Amino acid sequence: MCIEFETPKPIAQQQYVLQTVAENMMRSVSREMDENEHAIPYGYIEFMHAAMKATGAGSLAPRDEMRKEVDPNKPKRPPIGYQMLAHMLEMLSWGDVGMYLVTPGGGLGAAAVEAAASPEQKQKFLARFGGEKPTFAAMCMTEPGAGSDTSAIKTNAVLDEKTNEWIINGEKIFVTAGHKSMVPDECFGKGFIVVWASIDTSAGRAGMRGFVIEQGTPGVTVTKLEHKLGIRASDTAAISLVDVRVPYDHVLGSPTVERETEKGFKKAMATFDATRPLVAATGIGVARAALEFVKEKLTESGIEIRYGLPRNKLTSIEREVIDMEIMLRSGWLMIIKAVWMADNRKPNALESSMSKVKAGDVTTKITQKAVELMGPLGYSREFLLEKWFRDAKITDIYEGTGQINRLVVARQILGYSGRELR
Ligand SMILES: Cc1cc2nc3c(=O)[nH]c(=O)nc-3n(C[C@H](O)[C@H](O)[C@H](O)COP(=O)(O)OP(=O)(O)OC[C@H]3O[C@@H](n4cnc5c(N)ncnc54)[C@H](O)[C@@H]3O)c2cc1C
C-alpha cells in the first residue's frame, strides 16, 4: 500500500465548503470572540450542528467506523475518514482555532467513548450528537497534581455493591468544553464528561478507567473557567466531583483490574493515538493562516517570493518565508502519514506522537517568525496575526506536551515501556 499525495476528491470538495465557513462565520467574528472570552458563538454552533446532521456525521470526533470502506459497492475505494477529519480541522482552525474547539459533537469526550466503550455503550452515549440540539462532551484526565504524570491521578471510583453504582470523588482541571458539556443551556442538548478515575489505587495505571458522567448528575460542579492566553473562545473548566453516583454500566471497559496489562489505561492512550494528529492539524491551520498573512502583506509591498532560485540568490526575507513553508509542509506531511495509518488500521502511536511534536514546534516557530517579520503589523490588534501567535502555543501543551510526546516517540523507537523511560 502506498500513500497518495493528491488530495482525494471528496476531501477537496469538502475543503471548498469549509473554507467558506471559515471565512464567513469564523474570521468575521474572530476578534470579537477573542476579546469577549467565554462568549458563545451560537450562530456558528447551530450552523455546524445542522451541517453535520445533514451529512449524517453528527460529530467531528474520530470514529472507528471511519476506517471502514466508504462505499461497500466500491471495495477498492480507500478509506479516508481520518484524513478527511485532519483536513477539516486544519481548515476550521485556519478560520479560528478557538471557535473550532466549540464545534459541537463530542470532541475528546466522544473520542474517549469511541476508543474505550462497548458497542452498546457507543450507541447509548454517542447517538445524542445527531439529535435535535447541538450537544457537547469533554474528557477529564488532568488534575491539580496529575498532568503529564497520569499515574498520579487521585480521582477514584468505588463500587457500591448495594445499589450497583460507582461513587466517584476527585477534582479535574483544564477540561476543554467542560462548561458546555455539564452546565445546562436551553440551546444545547444534554452533554457528558468522561472522567478518568482509579478503581484500584494500588494498581497504578492498570486500575484506571473512564466513566461517563451525564450533565445534571448530583455532586458535579463546574468550579472555574480559565482565563487564557489564546483559544479564548474555548471554555476550559475545573470540575469538582463529590460523591458522584453513576450507573454500573457507565464504566468504559472491564470493571475488573488486570494488574500486569495496564489495559485500562491503554484505552486512554488509544484515544490519543486517534486525536494527536488531529490536534497537530489544528496547529498547522493556525500556522498556515499566519504564513498566508505574511505573504499577502509582502505582495502588497511589492515583494514576491522567487521560488526556484539558488538559495544564495534569494533575499533574506525570501529565505525566511521559504523556510516557513518548508516547516509547514513537513509538519503537514507527518500528520497525513499518521492519519493515513489510522485509516488503514495500522498501529500509529509513533507517528501520531511524532506529528504532534512536529506540529507543536513548527506552529510556534512559524507564528513567532511571522510576528517578527511583520513588526508592528504583527503586534497590533488591528490584525489577527498577534492572536494566531497566542493561539499557536497550545498545540504544544494539551494532549501531551512536546516533551511527553518526545518520550512516547523515544519509547516506541527504543522499545522501552513507560516505566523504563520516563
Ligand atoms: C487550554 C487547555 C486545555 C486543556 N484541555 C484538557 C482536556 O480537555 N482534558 C484534560 O484532561 N486535560 C486538558 N488540558 C491539560 C493538559 O493536557 C496538561 O496541561 C498537560 O498534559 C500538561 O500537564 P500539566 O499541566 O500537569 O503540566 P506538567 O506535567 O506539570 O508539566 C510542566 C512541564 O514539565 C514538563 N514535563 C513533565 N514531565 C516531564 C518528563 N517526564 N520529562 C520531561 N519533561 C516533563 C512538561 O512537558 C511541561 O513542560 C488542557 C490544558 C490547557 C492549557
PDB file of all heavy atoms in Angstrom, residues 108 139-143 146-149 173-176 228 231 236 394 397-404 407 422, ligand 1:
ATOM      1  N   LEU A 108     -13.221  15.497  22.503  1.00  0.00           N
ATOM      2  CA  LEU A 108     -12.412  14.469  23.171  1.00  0.00           C
ATOM      3  C   LEU A 108     -13.264  13.481  23.965  1.00  0.00           C
ATOM      4  O   LEU A 108     -12.899  12.314  24.102  1.00  0.00           O
ATOM      5  CB  LEU A 108     -11.458  15.140  24.155  1.00  0.00           C
ATOM      6  CG  LEU A 108     -10.018  15.356  23.750  1.00  0.00           C
ATOM      7  CD1 LEU A 108      -9.222  15.880  24.939  1.00  0.00           C
ATOM      8  CD2 LEU A 108      -9.380  14.066  23.245  1.00  0.00           C
ATOM      9  N   MET A 139     -13.416  15.457  27.963  1.00  0.00           N
ATOM     10  CA  MET A 139     -12.659  14.397  28.640  1.00  0.00           C
ATOM     11  C   MET A 139     -11.843  14.993  29.785  1.00  0.00           C
ATOM     12  O   MET A 139     -11.143  15.987  29.596  1.00  0.00           O
ATOM     13  CB  MET A 139     -11.726  13.679  27.677  1.00  0.00           C
ATOM     14  CG  MET A 139     -10.949  12.589  28.407  1.00  0.00           C
ATOM     15  SD  MET A 139     -10.235  11.372  27.319  1.00  0.00           S
ATOM     16  CE  MET A 139      -8.604  12.033  27.121  1.00  0.00           C
ATOM     17  N   CYS A 140     -11.943  14.369  30.961  1.00  0.00           N
ATOM     18  CA  CYS A 140     -11.267  14.897  32.149  1.00  0.00           C
ATOM     19  C   CYS A 140     -10.189  13.922  32.596  1.00  0.00           C
ATOM     20  O   CYS A 140     -10.491  12.893  33.210  1.00  0.00           O
ATOM     21  CB  CYS A 140     -12.250  15.068  33.290  1.00  0.00           C
ATOM     22  SG  CYS A 140     -13.787  15.851  32.817  1.00  0.00           S
ATOM     23  N   MET A 141      -8.966  14.252  32.304  1.00  0.00           N
ATOM     24  CA  MET A 141      -7.819  13.455  32.740  1.00  0.00           C
ATOM     25  C   MET A 141      -7.019  14.254  33.766  1.00  0.00           C
ATOM     26  O   MET A 141      -6.705  13.775  34.846  1.00  0.00           O
ATOM     27  CB  MET A 141      -6.953  13.161  31.506  1.00  0.00           C
ATOM     28  CG  MET A 141      -5.730  12.340  31.765  1.00  0.00           C
ATOM     29  SD  MET A 141      -6.002  10.607  31.510  1.00  0.00           S
ATOM     30  CE  MET A 141      -5.956  10.468  29.759  1.00  0.00           C
ATOM     31  N   THR A 142      -6.717  15.515  33.411  1.00  0.00           N
ATOM     32  CA  THR A 142      -5.783  16.327  34.207  1.00  0.00           C
ATOM     33  C   THR A 142      -6.360  16.696  35.576  1.00  0.00           C
ATOM     34  O   THR A 142      -7.546  16.992  35.705  1.00  0.00           O
ATOM     35  CB  THR A 142      -5.431  17.603  33.408  1.00  0.00           C
ATOM     36  OG1 THR A 142      -4.996  17.209  32.113  1.00  0.00           O
ATOM     37  CG2 THR A 142      -4.330  18.403  34.084  1.00  0.00           C
ATOM     38  N   GLU A 143      -5.476  16.665  36.595  1.00  0.00           N
ATOM     39  CA  GLU A 143      -5.844  17.058  37.964  1.00  0.00           C
ATOM     40  C   GLU A 143      -4.787  18.024  38.488  1.00  0.00           C
ATOM     41  O   GLU A 143      -3.698  18.113  37.907  1.00  0.00           O
ATOM     42  CB  GLU A 143      -5.885  15.811  38.865  1.00  0.00           C
ATOM     43  CG  GLU A 143      -6.887  14.788  38.398  1.00  0.00           C
ATOM     44  CD  GLU A 143      -6.964  13.574  39.326  1.00  0.00           C
ATOM     45  OE1 GLU A 143      -6.214  13.515  40.324  1.00  0.00           O
ATOM     46  OE2 GLU A 143      -7.789  12.699  39.022  1.00  0.00           O
ATOM     47  N   ALA A 146      -1.736  16.001  38.731  1.00  0.00           N
ATOM     48  CA  ALA A 146      -1.513  14.956  37.722  1.00  0.00           C
ATOM     49  C   ALA A 146      -1.840  15.485  36.331  1.00  0.00           C
ATOM     50  O   ALA A 146      -3.006  15.676  35.988  1.00  0.00           O
ATOM     51  CB  ALA A 146      -2.389  13.735  38.020  1.00  0.00           C
ATOM     52  N   GLY A 147      -0.790  15.763  35.565  1.00  0.00           N
ATOM     53  CA  GLY A 147      -0.990  16.203  34.182  1.00  0.00           C
ATOM     54  C   GLY A 147      -0.223  15.255  33.290  1.00  0.00           C
ATOM     55  O   GLY A 147      -0.738  14.219  32.851  1.00  0.00           O
ATOM     56  N   SER A 148       1.052  15.574  33.082  1.00  0.00           N
ATOM     57  CA  SER A 148       1.898  14.667  32.300  1.00  0.00           C
ATOM     58  C   SER A 148       1.992  13.303  32.995  1.00  0.00           C
ATOM     59  O   SER A 148       1.979  12.265  32.344  1.00  0.00           O
ATOM     60  CB  SER A 148       3.306  15.254  32.165  1.00  0.00           C
ATOM     61  OG  SER A 148       3.242  16.506  31.536  1.00  0.00           O
ATOM     62  N   ASP A 149       2.087  13.344  34.318  1.00  0.00           N
ATOM     63  CA  ASP A 149       2.215  12.088  35.066  1.00  0.00           C
ATOM     64  C   ASP A 149       0.828  11.572  35.448  1.00  0.00           C
ATOM     65  O   ASP A 149       0.319  11.836  36.537  1.00  0.00           O
ATOM     66  CB  ASP A 149       3.066  12.318  36.319  1.00  0.00           C
ATOM     67  CG  ASP A 149       3.251  11.029  37.104  1.00  0.00           C
ATOM     68  OD1 ASP A 149       2.873   9.948  36.578  1.00  0.00           O
ATOM     69  OD2 ASP A 149       3.762  11.092  38.240  1.00  0.00           O
ATOM     70  N   ILE A 173      -9.113  19.455  36.286  1.00  0.00           N
ATOM     71  CA  ILE A 173      -8.875  20.833  35.832  1.00  0.00           C
ATOM     72  C   ILE A 173      -8.578  20.848  34.332  1.00  0.00           C
ATOM     73  O   ILE A 173      -8.295  19.805  33.746  1.00  0.00           O
ATOM     74  CB  ILE A 173      -7.719  21.499  36.615  1.00  0.00           C
ATOM     75  CG1 ILE A 173      -6.433  20.655  36.540  1.00  0.00           C
ATOM     76  CG2 ILE A 173      -8.115  21.753  38.059  1.00  0.00           C
ATOM     77  CD1 ILE A 173      -5.206  21.338  37.141  1.00  0.00           C
ATOM     78  N   PHE A 174      -8.633  22.048  33.754  1.00  0.00           N
ATOM     79  CA  PHE A 174      -8.333  22.249  32.332  1.00  0.00           C
ATOM     80  C   PHE A 174      -9.150  21.317  31.432  1.00  0.00           C
ATOM     81  O   PHE A 174      -8.598  20.591  30.613  1.00  0.00           O
ATOM     82  CB  PHE A 174      -6.833  22.067  32.059  1.00  0.00           C
ATOM     83  CG  PHE A 174      -6.000  23.194  32.587  1.00  0.00           C
ATOM     84  CD1 PHE A 174      -5.163  23.028  33.681  1.00  0.00           C
ATOM     85  CD2 PHE A 174      -6.063  24.437  31.987  1.00  0.00           C
ATOM     86  CE1 PHE A 174      -4.402  24.079  34.171  1.00  0.00           C
ATOM     87  CE2 PHE A 174      -5.309  25.501  32.473  1.00  0.00           C
ATOM     88  CZ  PHE A 174      -4.467  25.319  33.565  1.00  0.00           C
ATOM     89  N   VAL A 175     -10.453  21.352  31.621  1.00  0.00           N
ATOM     90  CA  VAL A 175     -11.318  20.485  30.822  1.00  0.00           C
ATOM     91  C   VAL A 175     -11.891  21.298  29.647  1.00  0.00           C
ATOM     92  O   VAL A 175     -12.728  22.191  29.849  1.00  0.00           O
ATOM     93  CB  VAL A 175     -12.483  19.924  31.669  1.00  0.00           C
ATOM     94  CG1 VAL A 175     -13.332  18.978  30.826  1.00  0.00           C
ATOM     95  CG2 VAL A 175     -11.951  19.229  32.906  1.00  0.00           C
ATOM     96  N   THR A 176     -11.422  21.001  28.435  1.00  0.00           N
ATOM     97  CA  THR A 176     -11.918  21.700  27.246  1.00  0.00           C
ATOM     98  C   THR A 176     -13.398  21.369  27.038  1.00  0.00           C
ATOM     99  O   THR A 176     -13.763  20.191  27.031  1.00  0.00           O
ATOM    100  CB  THR A 176     -11.102  21.291  26.006  1.00  0.00           C
ATOM    101  OG1 THR A 176      -9.741  21.654  26.229  1.00  0.00           O
ATOM    102  CG2 THR A 176     -11.609  21.972  24.735  1.00  0.00           C
ATOM    103  N   LYS A 228      -7.395  32.678  29.581  1.00  0.00           N
ATOM    104  CA  LYS A 228      -6.245  32.109  28.880  1.00  0.00           C
ATOM    105  C   LYS A 228      -5.550  33.097  27.938  1.00  0.00           C
ATOM    106  O   LYS A 228      -6.114  34.095  27.521  1.00  0.00           O
ATOM    107  CB  LYS A 228      -6.697  30.884  28.075  1.00  0.00           C
ATOM    108  CG  LYS A 228      -7.397  29.814  28.913  1.00  0.00           C
ATOM    109  CD  LYS A 228      -7.563  28.516  28.173  1.00  0.00           C
ATOM    110  CE  LYS A 228      -8.421  28.597  26.925  1.00  0.00           C
ATOM    111  NZ  LYS A 228      -9.827  28.902  27.202  1.00  0.00           N
ATOM    112  N   ILE A 231      -6.812  30.743  22.368  1.00  0.00           N
ATOM    113  CA  ILE A 231      -8.045  29.943  22.209  1.00  0.00           C
ATOM    114  C   ILE A 231      -9.117  30.388  23.221  1.00  0.00           C
ATOM    115  O   ILE A 231      -9.711  29.575  23.914  1.00  0.00           O
ATOM    116  CB  ILE A 231      -7.790  28.417  22.260  1.00  0.00           C
ATOM    117  CG1 ILE A 231      -7.067  27.971  23.522  1.00  0.00           C
ATOM    118  CG2 ILE A 231      -7.048  27.953  21.030  1.00  0.00           C
ATOM    119  CD1 ILE A 231      -7.136  26.436  23.763  1.00  0.00           C
ATOM    120  N   THR A 236     -12.483  26.414  29.167  1.00  0.00           N
ATOM    121  CA  THR A 236     -11.587  25.447  29.823  1.00  0.00           C
ATOM    122  C   THR A 236     -11.970  25.446  31.301  1.00  0.00           C
ATOM    123  O   THR A 236     -11.759  26.444  31.991  1.00  0.00           O
ATOM    124  CB  THR A 236     -10.113  25.877  29.642  1.00  0.00           C
ATOM    125  OG1 THR A 236      -9.887  26.140  28.253  1.00  0.00           O
ATOM    126  CG2 THR A 236      -9.156  24.801  30.102  1.00  0.00           C
ATOM    127  N   ILE A 394      -0.766  26.501  22.332  1.00  0.00           N
ATOM    128  CA  ILE A 394      -1.495  25.391  22.955  1.00  0.00           C
ATOM    129  C   ILE A 394      -1.235  24.058  22.239  1.00  0.00           C
ATOM    130  O   ILE A 394      -1.285  22.991  22.846  1.00  0.00           O
ATOM    131  CB  ILE A 394      -3.017  25.698  23.034  1.00  0.00           C
ATOM    132  CG1 ILE A 394      -3.726  24.704  23.964  1.00  0.00           C
ATOM    133  CG2 ILE A 394      -3.671  25.711  21.678  1.00  0.00           C
ATOM    134  CD1 ILE A 394      -3.293  24.747  25.386  1.00  0.00           C
ATOM    135  N   ILE A 397       1.002  22.007  24.108  1.00  0.00           N
ATOM    136  CA  ILE A 397       0.733  21.771  25.538  1.00  0.00           C
ATOM    137  C   ILE A 397      -0.304  20.672  25.756  1.00  0.00           C
ATOM    138  O   ILE A 397      -0.035  19.682  26.430  1.00  0.00           O
ATOM    139  CB  ILE A 397       0.272  23.085  26.237  1.00  0.00           C
ATOM    140  CG1 ILE A 397       1.402  24.127  26.161  1.00  0.00           C
ATOM    141  CG2 ILE A 397      -0.120  22.809  27.691  1.00  0.00           C
ATOM    142  CD1 ILE A 397       1.042  25.482  26.736  1.00  0.00           C
ATOM    143  N   TYR A 398      -1.510  20.841  25.150  1.00  0.00           N
ATOM    144  CA  TYR A 398      -2.523  19.835  25.516  1.00  0.00           C
ATOM    145  C   TYR A 398      -2.370  18.540  24.694  1.00  0.00           C
ATOM    146  O   TYR A 398      -1.677  18.511  23.698  1.00  0.00           O
ATOM    147  CB  TYR A 398      -3.954  20.371  25.513  1.00  0.00           C
ATOM    148  CG  TYR A 398      -4.536  21.043  24.293  1.00  0.00           C
ATOM    149  CD1 TYR A 398      -3.969  20.981  23.050  1.00  0.00           C
ATOM    150  CD2 TYR A 398      -5.734  21.750  24.420  1.00  0.00           C
ATOM    151  CE1 TYR A 398      -4.556  21.592  21.955  1.00  0.00           C
ATOM    152  CE2 TYR A 398      -6.337  22.370  23.338  1.00  0.00           C
ATOM    153  CZ  TYR A 398      -5.737  22.292  22.117  1.00  0.00           C
ATOM    154  OH  TYR A 398      -6.320  22.885  21.043  1.00  0.00           O
ATOM    155  N   GLU A 399      -3.021  17.501  25.213  1.00  0.00           N
ATOM    156  CA  GLU A 399      -2.887  16.127  24.663  1.00  0.00           C
ATOM    157  C   GLU A 399      -1.430  15.674  24.632  1.00  0.00           C
ATOM    158  O   GLU A 399      -0.953  15.103  23.645  1.00  0.00           O
ATOM    159  CB  GLU A 399      -3.548  16.033  23.296  1.00  0.00           C
ATOM    160  CG  GLU A 399      -5.022  16.293  23.459  1.00  0.00           C
ATOM    161  CD  GLU A 399      -5.886  15.640  22.438  1.00  0.00           C
ATOM    162  OE1 GLU A 399      -5.499  14.593  21.891  1.00  0.00           O
ATOM    163  OE2 GLU A 399      -6.969  16.176  22.209  1.00  0.00           O
ATOM    164  N   GLY A 400      -0.749  15.959  25.718  1.00  0.00           N
ATOM    165  CA  GLY A 400       0.659  15.579  25.830  1.00  0.00           C
ATOM    166  C   GLY A 400       1.538  16.727  25.381  1.00  0.00           C
ATOM    167  O   GLY A 400       1.457  17.144  24.224  1.00  0.00           O
ATOM    168  N   THR A 401       2.384  17.226  26.300  1.00  0.00           N
ATOM    169  CA  THR A 401       3.278  18.330  25.928  1.00  0.00           C
ATOM    170  C   THR A 401       4.314  17.822  24.924  1.00  0.00           C
ATOM    171  O   THR A 401       4.447  16.612  24.713  1.00  0.00           O
ATOM    172  CB  THR A 401       4.023  18.851  27.173  1.00  0.00           C
ATOM    173  OG1 THR A 401       4.822  17.775  27.683  1.00  0.00           O
ATOM    174  CG2 THR A 401       3.068  19.357  28.249  1.00  0.00           C
ATOM    175  N   GLY A 402       5.071  18.768  24.348  1.00  0.00           N
ATOM    176  CA  GLY A 402       6.129  18.392  23.408  1.00  0.00           C
ATOM    177  C   GLY A 402       7.098  17.399  24.054  1.00  0.00           C
ATOM    178  O   GLY A 402       7.495  16.402  23.438  1.00  0.00           O
ATOM    179  N   GLN A 403       7.443  17.669  25.309  1.00  0.00           N
ATOM    180  CA  GLN A 403       8.406  16.778  25.996  1.00  0.00           C
ATOM    181  C   GLN A 403       7.823  15.374  26.164  1.00  0.00           C
ATOM    182  O   GLN A 403       8.511  14.378  25.943  1.00  0.00           O
ATOM    183  CB  GLN A 403       8.764  17.340  27.386  1.00  0.00           C
ATOM    184  CG  GLN A 403       9.652  18.567  27.360  1.00  0.00           C
ATOM    185  CD  GLN A 403       8.842  19.864  27.228  1.00  0.00           C
ATOM    186  OE1 GLN A 403       7.655  19.855  26.898  1.00  0.00           O
ATOM    187  NE2 GLN A 403       9.496  20.983  27.458  1.00  0.00           N
ATOM    188  N   ILE A 404       6.562  15.307  26.555  1.00  0.00           N
ATOM    189  CA  ILE A 404       5.957  13.991  26.798  1.00  0.00           C
ATOM    190  C   ILE A 404       5.815  13.227  25.484  1.00  0.00           C
ATOM    191  O   ILE A 404       6.082  12.016  25.420  1.00  0.00           O
ATOM    192  CB  ILE A 404       4.592  14.157  27.518  1.00  0.00           C
ATOM    193  CG1 ILE A 404       4.818  14.736  28.913  1.00  0.00           C
ATOM    194  CG2 ILE A 404       3.823  12.838  27.570  1.00  0.00           C
ATOM    195  CD1 ILE A 404       5.765  13.951  29.809  1.00  0.00           C
ATOM    196  N   LEU A 407       8.986  11.721  24.607  1.00  0.00           N
ATOM    197  CA  LEU A 407       9.216  10.493  25.383  1.00  0.00           C
ATOM    198  C   LEU A 407       8.491   9.309  24.739  1.00  0.00           C
ATOM    199  O   LEU A 407       9.046   8.207  24.639  1.00  0.00           O
ATOM    200  CB  LEU A 407       8.683  10.666  26.810  1.00  0.00           C
ATOM    201  CG  LEU A 407       9.639  11.205  27.869  1.00  0.00           C
ATOM    202  CD1 LEU A 407       8.909  11.352  29.199  1.00  0.00           C
ATOM    203  CD2 LEU A 407      10.816  10.252  28.038  1.00  0.00           C
ATOM    204  N   ARG A 422      11.159   7.434  31.540  1.00  0.00           N
ATOM    205  CA  ARG A 422      10.193   8.499  31.909  1.00  0.00           C
ATOM    206  C   ARG A 422      10.888   9.794  32.308  1.00  0.00           C
ATOM    207  O   ARG A 422      12.044   9.812  32.545  1.00  0.00           O
ATOM    208  CB  ARG A 422       9.265   8.020  32.991  1.00  0.00           C
ATOM    209  CG  ARG A 422       9.934   7.427  34.221  1.00  0.00           C
ATOM    210  CD  ARG A 422       8.874   6.896  35.142  1.00  0.00           C
ATOM    211  NE  ARG A 422       9.417   5.924  36.075  1.00  0.00           N
ATOM    212  CZ  ARG A 422       8.769   5.522  37.147  1.00  0.00           C
ATOM    213  NH1 ARG A 422       7.589   5.957  37.391  1.00  0.00           N
ATOM    214  NH2 ARG A 422       9.295   4.647  37.970  1.00  0.00           N
TER     215      ARG A 422
HETATM  216  C1  LIG B   1      -6.198  25.196  27.223  1.00  0.00           C
HETATM  217  C2  LIG B   1      -6.004  23.825  27.780  1.00  0.00           C
HETATM  218  C3  LIG B   1      -6.948  22.845  27.527  1.00  0.00           C
HETATM  219  C4  LIG B   1      -6.792  21.571  28.073  1.00  0.00           C
HETATM  220  N1  LIG B   1      -7.769  20.611  27.850  1.00  0.00           N
HETATM  221  C5  LIG B   1      -7.698  19.442  28.518  1.00  0.00           C
HETATM  222  C6  LIG B   1      -8.783  18.491  28.450  1.00  0.00           C
HETATM  223  O1  LIG B   1      -9.768  18.693  27.741  1.00  0.00           O
HETATM  224  N2  LIG B   1      -8.706  17.369  29.216  1.00  0.00           N
HETATM  225  C7  LIG B   1      -7.622  17.117  30.033  1.00  0.00           C
HETATM  226  O2  LIG B   1      -7.630  16.087  30.697  1.00  0.00           O
HETATM  227  N3  LIG B   1      -6.578  17.972  30.085  1.00  0.00           N
HETATM  228  C8  LIG B   1      -6.595  19.132  29.368  1.00  0.00           C
HETATM  229  N4  LIG B   1      -5.539  20.030  29.462  1.00  0.00           N
HETATM  230  C9  LIG B   1      -4.409  19.711  30.304  1.00  0.00           C
HETATM  231  C10 LIG B   1      -3.144  19.412  29.535  1.00  0.00           C
HETATM  232  O3  LIG B   1      -3.265  18.183  28.869  1.00  0.00           O
HETATM  233  C11 LIG B   1      -1.986  19.433  30.561  1.00  0.00           C
HETATM  234  O4  LIG B   1      -1.813  20.786  30.950  1.00  0.00           O
HETATM  235  C12 LIG B   1      -0.717  18.873  30.010  1.00  0.00           C
HETATM  236  O5  LIG B   1      -0.845  17.487  29.851  1.00  0.00           O
HETATM  237  C13 LIG B   1       0.474  19.133  30.955  1.00  0.00           C
HETATM  238  O6  LIG B   1       0.211  18.687  32.243  1.00  0.00           O
HETATM  239  P1  LIG B   1       0.437  19.656  33.496  1.00  0.00           P
HETATM  240  O7  LIG B   1      -0.376  20.875  33.266  1.00  0.00           O
HETATM  241  O8  LIG B   1       0.204  18.931  34.758  1.00  0.00           O
HETATM  242  O9  LIG B   1       1.954  20.071  33.432  1.00  0.00           O
HETATM  243  P2  LIG B   1       3.196  19.258  33.985  1.00  0.00           P
HETATM  244  O10 LIG B   1       3.024  17.811  33.750  1.00  0.00           O
HETATM  245  O11 LIG B   1       3.451  19.703  35.388  1.00  0.00           O
HETATM  246  O12 LIG B   1       4.332  19.785  33.030  1.00  0.00           O
HETATM  247  C14 LIG B   1       5.059  21.016  33.234  1.00  0.00           C
HETATM  248  C15 LIG B   1       6.285  20.980  32.311  1.00  0.00           C
HETATM  249  O13 LIG B   1       7.134  19.867  32.679  1.00  0.00           O
HETATM  250  C16 LIG B   1       7.374  19.040  31.544  1.00  0.00           C
HETATM  251  N5  LIG B   1       7.468  17.630  31.979  1.00  0.00           N
HETATM  252  C17 LIG B   1       6.629  16.954  32.776  1.00  0.00           C
HETATM  253  N6  LIG B   1       7.029  15.668  32.894  1.00  0.00           N
HETATM  254  C18 LIG B   1       8.149  15.530  32.158  1.00  0.00           C
HETATM  255  C19 LIG B   1       9.034  14.429  31.857  1.00  0.00           C
HETATM  256  N7  LIG B   1       8.843  13.230  32.355  1.00  0.00           N
HETATM  257  N8  LIG B   1      10.097  14.669  31.039  1.00  0.00           N
HETATM  258  C20 LIG B   1      10.320  15.910  30.514  1.00  0.00           C
HETATM  259  N9  LIG B   1       9.508  16.986  30.750  1.00  0.00           N
HETATM  260  C21 LIG B   1       8.433  16.800  31.560  1.00  0.00           C
HETATM  261  C22 LIG B   1       6.175  19.256  30.654  1.00  0.00           C
HETATM  262  O14 LIG B   1       6.463  18.922  29.311  1.00  0.00           O
HETATM  263  C23 LIG B   1       5.934  20.754  30.844  1.00  0.00           C
HETATM  264  O15 LIG B   1       6.817  21.480  30.037  1.00  0.00           O
HETATM  265  C24 LIG B   1      -5.659  21.276  28.871  1.00  0.00           C
HETATM  266  C25 LIG B   1      -4.685  22.285  29.091  1.00  0.00           C
HETATM  267  C26 LIG B   1      -4.852  23.526  28.569  1.00  0.00           C
HETATM  268  C27 LIG B   1      -3.793  24.576  28.849  1.00  0.00           C
END
